[in-house]
Amino acid sequence: GAGVSQSPSNKVTEKGKDVELRCDPISGHTALYWYRQSLGQGLEFLIYFQGNSAPDKSGLPSDRFSAERTGGSVSTLTIQRTQQEDSAVYLCASSLSSGTRPAEQYFGPGTRLTVT
Amino acid sequence: DQQVKQNSPSLSVQEGRISILNCDYTNSMFDYFLWYKKYPAEGPTFLISISSIKDKNEDGRFTVFLNKSAKHLSLHIVPSQPGDSAVYFCAASDRGGGSNYKLTFGKGTLLTVNP
């Protein structure tokens, strides 16, 4: 079956431009996560969607970052007025409902964002 | 403030020998721990996990040990194979904190298994 897919795989943008990153989760997975991995760092939690519940946006680093998940499936992460420090690999993951223990998260290949 | 630390950025072992990857954490509220493996240009894949009520969990060649008093866990791979060469991330969760989905990751350790 298809795994988590992300597009584009690579994105180079100029400082100040807006970018949109897309994530297609595994069909049937109700939970969706966005992470960011900057150079030499671990994965940094950004945002979490679970079904129709309000998303947990506590990891978003600034108000330039936003994400939505339409129809409980596809998600888009938008970064407005990009800065050089936004350069990173943005990873999306999905899982079945998290339940009482951290659900096994299935990751996409990531989008490498470079802000010049 | 790094709550999950993987102090060895890299590790090199011979094929057939044991690989031991270490992870330390500072948040005593963490009660569930996971290891992920990542190949270049791919997303991380789940490997093995352990709850804080256990001190050992084994799955084939992979064993995770948890020492709660020392806030330390380790992943043992025996025997190591060249295909195990990847970056290994340690992650932790505070299930009691109401956000059991939120994982805190270490920076990763690059394991190289030499034939």
Side-chain angles (χ1 to χ4, degrees), chain B residues 58-73:
Chain B
E58 192 171 353
D59 183 3
R61 297 185 298 113
F62 302 90
T63 303
V64 56
F65 294 92
L66 175 63
N67 183 334
K68 282 194 301 181
S69 61
K71 294 193 181 66
H72 176 84
L73 63 155

PDB file of all heavy atoms in Angstrom, chain B residues 58-73:
ATOM      1  N   GLU B  58      12.650  -6.784  23.540  1.00  0.00           N
ATOM      2  CA  GLU B  58      13.476  -7.444  22.526  1.00  0.00           C
ATOM      3  C   GLU B  58      12.633  -7.742  21.295  1.00  0.00           C
ATOM      4  O   GLU B  58      11.477  -8.161  21.391  1.00  0.00           O
ATOM      5  CB  GLU B  58      14.027  -8.752  23.104  1.00  0.00           C
ATOM      6  CG  GLU B  58      15.104  -9.417  22.308  1.00  0.00           C
ATOM      7  CD  GLU B  58      15.733 -10.583  23.070  1.00  0.00           C
ATOM      8  OE1 GLU B  58      15.404 -10.756  24.260  1.00  0.00           O
ATOM      9  OE2 GLU B  58      16.531 -11.304  22.480  1.00  0.00           O
ATOM     10  N   ASP B  59      13.225  -7.521  20.121  1.00  0.00           N
ATOM     11  CA  ASP B  59      12.557  -7.826  18.868  1.00  0.00           C
ATOM     12  C   ASP B  59      13.618  -8.261  17.873  1.00  0.00           C
ATOM     13  O   ASP B  59      14.284  -7.434  17.252  1.00  0.00           O
ATOM     14  CB  ASP B  59      11.793  -6.608  18.350  1.00  0.00           C
ATOM     15  CG  ASP B  59      11.009  -6.914  17.076  1.00  0.00           C
ATOM     16  OD1 ASP B  59      11.011  -8.079  16.617  1.00  0.00           O
ATOM     17  OD2 ASP B  59      10.388  -5.983  16.531  1.00  0.00           O
ATOM     18  N   GLY B  60      13.777  -9.572  17.771  1.00  0.00           N
ATOM     19  CA  GLY B  60      14.783 -10.092  16.850  1.00  0.00           C
ATOM     20  C   GLY B  60      16.177  -9.674  17.255  1.00  0.00           C
ATOM     21  O   GLY B  60      16.615  -9.899  18.389  1.00  0.00           O
ATOM     22  N   ARG B  61      16.886  -9.025  16.340  1.00  0.00           N
ATOM     23  CA  ARG B  61      18.261  -8.590  16.616  1.00  0.00           C
ATOM     24  C   ARG B  61      18.325  -7.322  17.457  1.00  0.00           C
ATOM     25  O   ARG B  61      19.409  -6.899  17.851  1.00  0.00           O
ATOM     26  CB  ARG B  61      18.997  -8.363  15.293  1.00  0.00           C
ATOM     27  CG  ARG B  61      19.165  -9.610  14.441  1.00  0.00           C
ATOM     28  CD  ARG B  61      20.025  -9.331  13.200  1.00  0.00           C
ATOM     29  NE  ARG B  61      19.433  -8.342  12.313  1.00  0.00           N
ATOM     30  CZ  ARG B  61      19.934  -7.147  12.082  1.00  0.00           C
ATOM     31  NH1 ARG B  61      21.044  -6.765  12.692  1.00  0.00           N
ATOM     32  NH2 ARG B  61      19.336  -6.315  11.240  1.00  0.00           N
ATOM     33  N   PHE B  62      17.176  -6.724  17.704  1.00  0.00           N
ATOM     34  CA  PHE B  62      17.137  -5.426  18.374  1.00  0.00           C
ATOM     35  C   PHE B  62      16.605  -5.571  19.809  1.00  0.00           C
ATOM     36  O   PHE B  62      15.577  -6.194  20.030  1.00  0.00           O
ATOM     37  CB  PHE B  62      16.254  -4.451  17.604  1.00  0.00           C
ATOM     38  CG  PHE B  62      16.701  -4.228  16.185  1.00  0.00           C
ATOM     39  CD1 PHE B  62      16.216  -5.030  15.156  1.00  0.00           C
ATOM     40  CD2 PHE B  62      17.623  -3.251  15.878  1.00  0.00           C
ATOM     41  CE1 PHE B  62      16.639  -4.842  13.844  1.00  0.00           C
ATOM     42  CE2 PHE B  62      18.050  -3.053  14.574  1.00  0.00           C
ATOM     43  CZ  PHE B  62      17.566  -3.854  13.561  1.00  0.00           C
ATOM     44  N   THR B  63      17.329  -4.997  20.753  1.00  0.00           N
ATOM     45  CA  THR B  63      16.902  -4.986  22.151  1.00  0.00           C
ATOM     46  C   THR B  63      17.074  -3.579  22.697  1.00  0.00           C
ATOM     47  O   THR B  63      18.133  -2.965  22.485  1.00  0.00           O
ATOM     48  CB  THR B  63      17.731  -5.966  23.000  1.00  0.00           C
ATOM     49  OG1 THR B  63      17.630  -7.283  22.449  1.00  0.00           O
ATOM     50  CG2 THR B  63      17.220  -5.994  24.439  1.00  0.00           C
ATOM     51  N   VAL B  64      16.054  -3.099  23.364  1.00  0.00           N
ATOM     52  CA  VAL B  64      16.170  -1.801  24.022  1.00  0.00           C
ATOM     53  C   VAL B  64      16.157  -2.033  25.526  1.00  0.00           C
ATOM     54  O   VAL B  64      15.350  -2.803  26.048  1.00  0.00           O
ATOM     55  CB  VAL B  64      15.055  -0.827  23.577  1.00  0.00           C
ATOM     56  CG1 VAL B  64      13.670  -1.405  23.806  1.00  0.00           C
ATOM     57  CG2 VAL B  64      15.195   0.509  24.268  1.00  0.00           C
ATOM     58  N   PHE B  65      17.085  -1.374  26.205  1.00  0.00           N
ATOM     59  CA  PHE B  65      17.210  -1.442  27.657  1.00  0.00           C
ATOM     60  C   PHE B  65      16.894  -0.072  28.234  1.00  0.00           C
ATOM     61  O   PHE B  65      17.350   0.944  27.706  1.00  0.00           O
ATOM     62  CB  PHE B  65      18.631  -1.847  28.066  1.00  0.00           C
ATOM     63  CG  PHE B  65      19.017  -3.234  27.663  1.00  0.00           C
ATOM     64  CD1 PHE B  65      19.651  -3.455  26.441  1.00  0.00           C
ATOM     65  CD2 PHE B  65      18.751  -4.317  28.477  1.00  0.00           C
ATOM     66  CE1 PHE B  65      20.016  -4.737  26.048  1.00  0.00           C
ATOM     67  CE2 PHE B  65      19.114  -5.604  28.103  1.00  0.00           C
ATOM     68  CZ  PHE B  65      19.746  -5.819  26.886  1.00  0.00           C
ATOM     69  N   LEU B  66      16.138  -0.060  29.334  1.00  0.00           N
ATOM     70  CA  LEU B  66      15.796   1.196  29.980  1.00  0.00           C
ATOM     71  C   LEU B  66      16.251   1.171  31.428  1.00  0.00           C
ATOM     72  O   LEU B  66      15.917   0.255  32.179  1.00  0.00           O
ATOM     73  CB  LEU B  66      14.285   1.436  29.913  1.00  0.00           C
ATOM     74  CG  LEU B  66      13.752   2.658  30.655  1.00  0.00           C
ATOM     75  CD1 LEU B  66      14.330   3.947  30.070  1.00  0.00           C
ATOM     76  CD2 LEU B  66      12.224   2.707  30.597  1.00  0.00           C
ATOM     77  N   ASN B  67      16.998   2.185  31.833  1.00  0.00           N
ATOM     78  CA  ASN B  67      17.427   2.370  33.219  1.00  0.00           C
ATOM     79  C   ASN B  67      16.820   3.680  33.696  1.00  0.00           C
ATOM     80  O   ASN B  67      17.358   4.759  33.454  1.00  0.00           O
ATOM     81  CB  ASN B  67      18.951   2.422  33.297  1.00  0.00           C
ATOM     82  CG  ASN B  67      19.471   2.547  34.711  1.00  0.00           C
ATOM     83  OD1 ASN B  67      18.779   3.059  35.598  1.00  0.00           O
ATOM     84  ND2 ASN B  67      20.694   2.100  34.936  1.00  0.00           N
ATOM     85  N   LYS B  68      15.668   3.553  34.367  1.00  0.00           N
ATOM     86  CA  LYS B  68      14.932   4.766  34.753  1.00  0.00           C
ATOM     87  C   LYS B  68      15.684   5.606  35.772  1.00  0.00           C
ATOM     88  O   LYS B  68      15.636   6.832  35.735  1.00  0.00           O
ATOM     89  CB  LYS B  68      13.552   4.386  35.309  1.00  0.00           C
ATOM     90  CG  LYS B  68      12.542   4.041  34.246  1.00  0.00           C
ATOM     91  CD  LYS B  68      11.134   4.021  34.816  1.00  0.00           C
ATOM     92  CE  LYS B  68      11.013   3.033  35.936  1.00  0.00           C
ATOM     93  NZ  LYS B  68       9.645   2.974  36.492  1.00  0.00           N
ATOM     94  N   SER B  69      16.361   4.948  36.702  1.00  0.00           N
ATOM     95  CA  SER B  69      17.051   5.710  37.746  1.00  0.00           C
ATOM     96  C   SER B  69      18.156   6.559  37.143  1.00  0.00           C
ATOM     97  O   SER B  69      18.445   7.661  37.618  1.00  0.00           O
ATOM     98  CB  SER B  69      17.607   4.778  38.820  1.00  0.00           C
ATOM     99  OG  SER B  69      18.534   3.876  38.259  1.00  0.00           O
ATOM    100  N   ALA B  70      18.770   6.050  36.081  1.00  0.00           N
ATOM    101  CA  ALA B  70      19.838   6.794  35.417  1.00  0.00           C
ATOM    102  C   ALA B  70      19.310   7.645  34.271  1.00  0.00           C
ATOM    103  O   ALA B  70      20.081   8.388  33.656  1.00  0.00           O
ATOM    104  CB  ALA B  70      20.893   5.832  34.883  1.00  0.00           C
ATOM    105  N   LYS B  71      18.023   7.541  33.972  1.00  0.00           N
ATOM    106  CA  LYS B  71      17.413   8.233  32.840  1.00  0.00           C
ATOM    107  C   LYS B  71      18.219   7.938  31.570  1.00  0.00           C
ATOM    108  O   LYS B  71      18.651   8.856  30.840  1.00  0.00           O
ATOM    109  CB  LYS B  71      17.318   9.737  33.082  1.00  0.00           C
ATOM    110  CG  LYS B  71      16.374  10.128  34.211  1.00  0.00           C
ATOM    111  CD  LYS B  71      16.096  11.634  34.175  1.00  0.00           C
ATOM    112  CE  LYS B  71      15.184  12.061  35.292  1.00  0.00           C
ATOM    113  NZ  LYS B  71      15.797  11.911  36.624  1.00  0.00           N
ATOM    114  N   HIS B  72      18.395   6.677  31.329  1.00  0.00           N
ATOM    115  CA  HIS B  72      19.247   6.231  30.232  1.00  0.00           C
ATOM    116  C   HIS B  72      18.606   5.042  29.535  1.00  0.00           C
ATOM    117  O   HIS B  72      18.061   4.142  30.181  1.00  0.00           O
ATOM    118  CB  HIS B  72      20.623   5.835  30.772  1.00  0.00           C
ATOM    119  CG  HIS B  72      21.535   5.279  29.729  1.00  0.00           C
ATOM    120  ND1 HIS B  72      22.298   6.081  28.900  1.00  0.00           N
ATOM    121  CD2 HIS B  72      21.813   4.001  29.369  1.00  0.00           C
ATOM    122  CE1 HIS B  72      22.997   5.326  28.081  1.00  0.00           C
ATOM    123  NE2 HIS B  72      22.730   4.061  28.354  1.00  0.00           N
ATOM    124  N   LEU B  73      18.666   5.054  28.215  1.00  0.00           N
ATOM    125  CA  LEU B  73      18.264   3.868  27.480  1.00  0.00           C
ATOM    126  C   LEU B  73      19.284   3.579  26.387  1.00  0.00           C
ATOM    127  O   LEU B  73      20.049   4.477  25.987  1.00  0.00           O
ATOM    128  CB  LEU B  73      16.850   3.981  26.893  1.00  0.00           C
ATOM    129  CG  LEU B  73      16.507   5.020  25.867  1.00  0.00           C
ATOM    130  CD1 LEU B  73      15.329   4.552  25.038  1.00  0.00           C
ATOM    131  CD2 LEU B  73      16.111   6.328  26.536  1.00  0.00           C
TER     132      LEU B  73
END
